[in-house]
Amino acid sequence: MLKSVNDSMRMSTLMTTALQVLSGVLIFTMSAMAIWLWHQGAITTGAIAFAVGLTLRLKAMSQWIIWEVAGLFESIGVIQDGIETIACDRSIKDAADAKPLVVKDGGIRFEDVTFNYGKPLIARDRPVLENLNLTIAPGEKVGLVGRSGAGKSTLSNLLLRFYDLERGRILIDGQDISHVTQDSLRAAIGVVTQDTSLLHRSVIDNIRYGMPDASMAEVEAAARKAHADEFIATLMDPKGRRGYEAHVGERGVKLSGGQRQRIAIARALIIRPDLIIFDEAVSALDVSVRAQILDLLAELCASHNLSYLFISHDLSVVRTITDRVLVMKSGEIVEQGKTEEIFTNPQHPYTKSLIDAAPVLPDLKGLTA
């Protein structure tokens, strides 16, 4: 990719330089010829002014054309890269005996998982995850905390099977995810990330993203569960489209951060998942909006028997909405236990440092009132 950029910049510089040289030669030649003809009495001073002005105009137009042509070829390159990305075959293949995932209870188990993104280990180095063992019971609400680089997002990516394990296995209800179809695996797991990327389409299209054939009733039900129906009813875009038909702008720029997250939660709920992963889903929001989203999540888990994995670098955001906390450091779980036990009596110095660095949020109801 970098080689293509360098080649493009070299070609652009060469074309610009050649254009400037040719333009300079044209202006000099035209001016010299005009002055010589005037000296011979063949033309008037008005003709000289006209010729020089026309030459300068041609120079300006040629520069505009060269930049437009360069922009055209750059756009062609971008489209070509996009097509190659979309058309690229999946590097992760379904096994020959892969069957659809059948979720009954929703229990998850990581067994001796080792992973290093396929990179060789350097002396005295260790993989991103090494011999990790973890069990999430059906319906359990688990908080996964740790500083950036601890391996939290890697754990969720492996659960979604974006990568194949180097050693070990991951089981959902006793089924090895490497022997189930990827489509059925990801249909069972909803994901809400920190950077909620909405499409420049209508609200209904964004909620239906994971389930295109969802009915309007299902869309509205998901929006109600995510407490998004209230603000959706007030939306109107510049073209006069209202409510669920209103377009949200590129990446959802016409919505606030909290509104985007509610749309993302509705989009995750509409597929009726058995597990939801919240990957730093509130870290980019201000305190009041963060409290509103956490309040919403607490309400959702109280009314639905869903397992979820809440990933955060901040211990304070998991206290009110999780049953159990796992503390990760350098790819291993250094401490785990009931949420209140971890907060009131942390055993590991690393956990204590996380609690000290992230004071607990005020009462959610007080902030959202």
Side-chain angles (χ1 to χ4, degrees), residues 109-114 131-135 165 167-171:
R109 191 163 73 249
F110 290 74
E111 295 183 350
D112 298 321
V113 170
T114 296
N131 297 327
L132 184 138
N133 290 279
L134 168 64
T135 299
L165 300 178
R167 191 167 66 246
R169 60 179 186 163
I170 300 174
L171 307 174

Side-chain angles (χ1 to χ4, degrees), residues 192 207 211 214-232 244 258-274 276 278 292-306 308:
V192 181
I207 296 178
M211 191 178 178
S215 66
M216 189 62 197
E218 290 173 316
V219 171
E220 291 175 344
R224 279 195 301 273
K225 291 177 184 176
H227 289 213
D229 55 327
E230 298 173 3
F231 77 82
I232 290 175
Y244 287 92
Q259 289 173 338
R260 286 197 298 272
Q261 289 301 73
R262 282 178 166 81
I263 294 292
I265 293 171
R267 185 165 63 186
L269 291 175
I270 198 170
I271 66 173
R272 296 185 291 275
D274 300 286
I276 299 183
F278 297 97
Q292 292 172 6
I293 297 297
L294 293 177
D295 195 14
L296 165 61
L297 298 180
E299 181 182 332
L300 281 174
C301 41
S303 57
H304 298 76
N305 188 31
L306 284 174
Y308 71 67

Side-chain angles (χ1 to χ4, degrees), residues 97-114:
D97 60 344
K99 298 178 180 178
L101 176 67
V102 178
V103 180
K104 296 180 180 178
D105 300 319
I108 300 169
R109 191 163 73 249
F110 290 74
E111 295 183 350
D112 298 321
V113 170
T114 296

Side-chain angles (χ1 to χ4, degrees), residues 180-203:
V180 301
T181 61
Q182 296 176 67
D183 289 342
S184 65
L185 171 65
R186 290 162 193 162
I189 302 175
V191 181
V192 181
T193 60
Q194 174 182 356
D195 182 17
T196 302
S197 297
L198 301 183
L199 304 174
H200 186 22
R201 293 291 184 271
S202 64
V203 173

